[in-house]
Amino acid sequence: MSAFASPVHSPLNASRLYKDNCQSCHGVDRLGGMEPALFPENLSRLRKNKAINVISHGRAATQMPAFAKKLSKQQNASLVDYIYTAPKTMPKWDLADIKASHIQHFQQNKLPNTPQFDADPMNLFIVVELGDHSATLLNGDTFTPITRFKTRRALHGGPKYSPDGRFVYFASRDGWISKYDIYNMKVISEVRAGINTRNLAVSSDGKYAIVGNYLPHSIVILDTNTLEPIKVVKVSDKKGISSRVSAVYNAPPRNSFIIALKDVKEAWEIPYKNNADFSIKRISTQDYLDDFFFDPAYKNLIGSSREKHNGEVIDLDAGKK
Ligand code: HEC
């Protein structure tokens, strides 16, 4: 190698290495697709030294190949630096991208509307196994498995059910939302609502789902019938400061979704009844709210502050402390 060779750790070099070796599976600009997205948010549970190991040795029983023979240690390290660095501009994932990702595996109205197994349909459990990306449907009376099925990788935030108990919705770390028909034991539709997703909530009437994202800074409202997107909102406060979404909730007595924002001093409420365009009610908070819950009547939101050792109670009707 000449003394003038480009430094191995140059970002340019790493992005070239990425394009040549990783892009075919992990997507243009690290966006992922079928395979995981490679942004710091998506990798938050994987330590850097573990990532080096995955790249060298691959991951057993998956499509992730071993690169030890192809890439030097320095090249591996520069790729790890690259994937743990935030991109200069926020990755784009807008309404058109979401629409284009939509998959209809089965037509819901062509499938039987009764359980195709012998168990009480109102006493079933879904157990999610994170290790190998599967879930098991359990008979709640006997605790025996009815079926086991593949899910998207790394589910976030727990499964959410339709009011009649027939459907369950899953959100994955990489933004995939799946609608599973419990009666017919089939995934019937899927859509990618974000690049890095926190969780989803389903409205009390079962008509809408809302998805909260870290990447991009957005919330997405879906029609639960097909999972097609109805509305995407870029998240920023009154002054235009952009924010990640910590979590989304359904508030049953209010017929609304509540949205917790991570980086600004606001929480949002979106009524889903008599609010055809899903307009947003902004609630200013005294501090950044790290986590919150509601009183049983969903009249007040009780939040814990990130910085101070105290909490905050916000009257949701008045929209203030
Ligand atoms: C042939 C497809 C393919 C190629 C090429 C590929 N990967 Fe992967 N990679 C995967 C799959 C599939 C997984 C998920 C494995 C699993 O299910 O745990 C993965 C997982 C990973 C993970 C772990 C992610 C996590 O959240 O645990 C890292 C890091 C990674 N790949 C980096 C790379 C890098 C860097 C390259 C290029 C040098 C690369 N991969 C090339 C398919 C691929």
Side-chain angles (χ1 to χ4, degrees), residues 21-22 24-26 35-36 38 43 46 51 54-55 59 62-65 67 71 79 83 133 153 173:
N21 297 285
C22 324
S24 59
C25 291
H26 291 285
E35 311 311 357
L38 297 179
L43 296 166
L46 186 75
V54 172
I55 297 166
R59 206 174 255 163
T62 77
Q63 297 293 311
M64 175 62 198
F67 286 93
L71 300 175
L79 272 169
I83 62 178
H133 320 301
R153 201 172 283 115
R173 178 193 67 191

Side-chain angles (χ1 to χ4, degrees), residues 162-220:
S162 63
D164 63 2
R166 172 171 167 185
F167 302 106
V168 58
Y169 303 89
F170 300 102
S172 86
R173 178 193 67 191
D174 289 350
W176 283 100
I177 309 302
S178 309
K179 178 178 183 178
Y180 182 78
D181 182 344
I182 295 176
Y183 288 4
N184 294 288
M185 297 169 280
K186 285 179 167 63
V187 175
I188 54 176
S189 39
E190 292 187 283
V191 73
R192 193 173 182 202
I195 298 165
N196 185 256
T197 290
R198 296 299 294 173
N199 74 327
L200 96 153
V202 174
S203 62
S204 300
D205 58 11
K207 287 186 186 161
Y208 309 109
I210 184 168
V211 181
N213 293 322
Y214 262 15
L215 279 181
H217 295 174
S218 67
I219 51 166
V220 180

Side-chain angles (χ1 to χ4, degrees), residues 14-58:
S15 84
R16 181 79 256 158
L17 283 174
Y18 177 85
K19 283 201 181 82
D20 293 345
N21 297 285
C22 324
Q23 179 166 295
S24 59
C25 291
H26 291 285
V28 174
D29 297 333
R30 303 187 264 159
L31 282 174
M34 293 304 283
E35 311 311 357
L38 297 179
F39 292 113
E41 287 83 354
N42 301 68
L43 296 166
S44 62
R45 299 241 175 118
L46 186 75
R47 286 168 184 267
K48 276 192 173 183
N49 60 347
K50 290 261 162 60
I52 288 176
N53 206 36
V54 172
I55 297 166
S56 308
H57 305 295

